[in-house]
Amino acid sequence: MKRVILSGGGTGGHIYPAVAVAEALKRKWKEEVEILFVGAEGKMEMEKIPALGYNIVGLPIAGLQRRLEPKNLLVPFKVVSSVRKARKVIRDFSADVVVGFGGYASAPVLWAAQRMGVPTVIQEQNSYAGVTNKLLARGARRICVAYDGMERFFPADKITLTGNPLRGRFAPAKEKSAEALAHYGFTADKPTVLVVGGSLGTRTLNEMMKHWLPTLDGTSPVQVIWQTGKYYEAEMRDFLASHPTANIWQGAFIERMDYAYEVADVVISRSGACTVSELCLVGKPTIFVPSPNVAEDHQTKNAMALVEKDAALMVRDADAVMQGMPAALNLLEDKERLALLKKNISRLGIKDAADRVVKQIEKEWSRF
């Protein structure tokens, strides 16, 4: 029996790659591997991970607030307490290897494991490494990355290009099926733009649609899948009702993301690490609108990693309300550019990323 601790959390971008690796481990090793997640008390992983059938331990760790707040004074005490608890968890679980997926939740358990002589592996999702992973890279045995050029942050001899582990199966659609088109009430004779802002929604992309729809005469020249997110659902539903427009599908969530990707000719999206990896796998020409509200401007760096390879376009968040949909319509008219983006983004997809990470884990537990 091999025992693996997977640690990370705070956001889905850290949690779901870890879950994808857990699923890959279980597919291969079945009952011969035992998995334990370690996260931060009160964060989303404490709810999401048990719902998926995995055990998780929460640490009292907390991150520093960017603004000066009294709660920052408690952070050092929480760090010490978290490291002590992490050492006990590693010892009681008899971990063979600890894998960190970023976020401050993974820092205490990786730090403790390295000082206990337990092999550690890091998985970095972004093109610009996070603070936790950079700090702990020196003591890690192997660092799994999703982008080229990560020698800027990590020792070159420890880096393995694995891609970002994703849950589910993503692959380029050869053609638009009648079933997928019918799901959205669309037809095959019009191009489709997918506007997706994540499960919670994105104010900028919703405001972009609110700006664009009144410029039409009640019929969109293209079909649009407009995912509003749950925070904005009621507001955007009311807006569309007051500006009825043909060829628009609107919803808080997209239950069949496979259908959405299948029918989309152009995607307008944020550029979180997992989203970028999905779009590479489905090979869709994309206009990224990076969120300006993430640490170290990760999303802009993720988008630029593709833009510099002529694999995507980017519109700044500040410009997207006015320029987002016109940029998509212009791209749809430029068939040569559309084909080039599709070819180049498809080259960047790594469909077996989770299995590649598992191979690195296996190398470390075999040496322990």
Side-chain angles (χ1 to χ4, degrees):
M1 172 72 72
K2 294 298 182 181
R3 293 178 171 84
V4 181
I5 289 178
L6 305 178
S7 183
T11 68
H14 295 310
I15 295 168
Y16 292 117
V19 173
V21 169
E23 291 172 344
L25 281 165
K26 282 295 187 181
R27 279 197 305 271
K28 183 171 183 181
W29 292 94
K30 298 180 174 57
E31 301 305 317
E32 296 179 47
V33 64
E34 186 174 353
I35 296 168
L36 177 67
F37 283 80
V38 176
E41 292 176 353
K43 296 300 181 180
M44 64 183 293
E45 57 267 24
M46 302 307 297
E47 176 184 347
K48 299 294 185 182
I49 297 301
L52 294 169
Y54 295 98
N55 294 324
I56 186 168
V57 174
L59 303 179
I61 189 69
L64 284 169
Q65 302 300 308
R66 295 185 183 182
R67 293 174 294 182
L68 292 177
E69 295 185 16
K71 65 177 66 175
N72 281 339
L73 298 174
L74 297 175
V75 170
F77 300 99
K78 290 186 175 182
V79 169
V80 172
S81 176
S82 295
V83 170
R84 286 175 179 166
K85 186 171 182 179
R87 289 179 64 88
K88 185 176 188 304
V89 169
I90 294 167
R91 184 171 57 250
D92 292 350
F93 186 64
S94 299
D96 293 297
V97 61
V98 174
V99 189
F101 292 82
Y104 58 79
S106 67
V109 69
L110 281 172
W111 193 90
Q114 290 173 359
R115 277 140 191 84
M116 294 170 71
V118 177
T120 58
V121 174
I122 287 173
Q123 198 272 319
E124 173 58 58
Q125 297 94 37
N126 293 288
S127 65
Y128 190 92
V131 172
T132 297
N133 285 347
K134 285 191 287 188
L135 290 174
L136 293 163
R138 187 178 297 276
R141 296 279 187 86
R142 182 57 43 185
I143 301 164
C144 303
V145 301
Y147 292 88
D148 295 325
M150 298 302 286
E151 297 83 2
R152 295 173 294 161
F153 310 106
F154 304 127
D157 61 339
K158 294 185 177 183
I159 294 174
T160 298
L161 181 65
T162 59
N164 278 326
L166 298 174
R167 300 188 70 213
R169 298 185 180 277
F170 300 92
K174 294 181 180 179
E175 58 184 23
K176 301 179 185 182
S177 68
E179 183 179 4
L181 288 165
H183 184 78
Y184 296 102
F186 289 170
T187 60
D189 59 344
K190 282 184 179 292
T192 300
V193 176
L194 168 62
V195 178
V196 58
S199 60
L200 300 182
T202 299
R203 169 60 72 180
T204 298
L205 298 185
N206 285 323
E207 290 297 320
M208 176 191 76
M209 291 298 294
K210 286 176 66 177
H211 172 78
W212 181 66
L213 288 174
T215 69
L216 307 177
D217 60 0
T219 302
S220 170
V222 296
Q223 298 168 145
V224 180
I225 300 173
W226 176 12
Q227 186 254 331
T228 65
K230 70 175 185 179
Y231 281 175
Y232 306 101
E233 177 184 14
E235 177 188 348
M236 299 305 149
R237 185 176 62 243
D238 291 345
F239 179 86
L240 187 60
S242 64
H243 297 80
T245 307
N247 302 324
I248 306 292
W249 180 95
Q250 183 194 67
F253 305 100
I254 299 176
E255 299 293 344
R256 291 298 303 266
M257 201 66 200
D258 55 337
Y259 282 170
Y261 282 144
E262 183 178 323
V263 303
D265 296 285
V266 168
V267 179
I268 302 177
S269 171
R270 289 303 202 196
S271 47
C274 291
T275 298
V276 173
S277 295
E278 284 183 14
L279 289 164
C280 289
L281 287 174
V282 298
K284 290 296 175 178
T286 301
I287 299 170
F288 287 118
V289 180
S291 170
N293 304 313
V294 295
E296 299 175 297
D297 202 18
H298 278 149
Q299 290 205 6
T300 296
K301 296 177 174 71
N302 290 345
M304 287 305 300
L306 272 69
V307 171
E308 289 168 357
K309 294 181 178 179
D310 221 1
L313 303 181
M314 187 181 82
V315 174
R316 293 190 316 131
D317 184 84
D319 300 327
V321 171
M322 301 290 290
Q323 299 178 12
M325 283 305 296
L329 297 179
N330 289 338
L331 181 56
L332 286 168
E333 291 293 323
D334 189 345
K335 302 303 182 185
E336 184 176 338
R337 182 77 167 150
L338 200 65
L340 179 65
L341 291 177
K342 183 173 184 177
K343 181 178 72 173
N344 289 344
I345 197 171
S346 297
R347 289 174 173 172
L348 302 177
I350 300 177
K351 62 182 180 180
D352 61 342
D355 294 324
R356 293 189 184 196
V357 175
V358 166
K359 286 181 181 178
Q360 301 308 312
I361 295 171
E362 291 168 344
K363 288 179 183 178
E364 298 312 322
W365 80 33
S366 66
R367 297 198 302 179
F368 185 50

